[in-house]
Amino acid sequence: MLPGDSAANVQNVLAATLADPAIHVTLDAPPIVSPESPPTPHIMTKVALLVRSMWPNVPIIPTMATGFSDDRQRVMRAW
């Protein structure tokens, strides 16, 4: 899930994409919602210094990785 999305929306999009009434999309656990964490100016300054030292003309475009291991769900449930 991306920040600002809901479990219900993801479930609906998956069901619509599959488009097969024989397939039921359900949650196995409530999602662990994390807020968006944009890079701070301090971090971006450090990144820019490093990137510019190796690749002077490459644009710096922050991205977000949406994946994590299945272990995150198990660890959080255990507590």
Side-chain angles (χ1 to χ4, degrees), residues 1-2 4 7 9 11-13 16 18 22 26 33 35 39-40 43-44 48-50 59 62 65-66 68 71 73 77:
M1 290 176 45
L2 295 172
N9 183 57
Q11 187 173 2
N12 291 336
V13 169
L18 295 168
T26 59
V33 180
T40 65
I43 293 294
M44 290 307 295
L49 286 171
L50 177 64
T66 58
F68 59 85
D71 193 45
Q73 293 287 344
R77 273 195 237 150

Side-chain angles (χ1 to χ4, degrees), residues 24-42:
H24 300 279
V25 179
T26 59
L27 291 172
D28 68 345
I32 300 169
V33 180
S34 299
E36 181 179 353
S37 54
T40 65
H42 178 73

Side-chain angles (χ1 to χ4, degrees), residues 56-73:
N57 298 318
V58 171
I60 300 167
I61 304 169
T63 61
M64 182 175 76
T66 58
F68 59 85
S69 83
D70 292 341
D71 193 45
R72 179 175 179 195
Q73 293 287 344

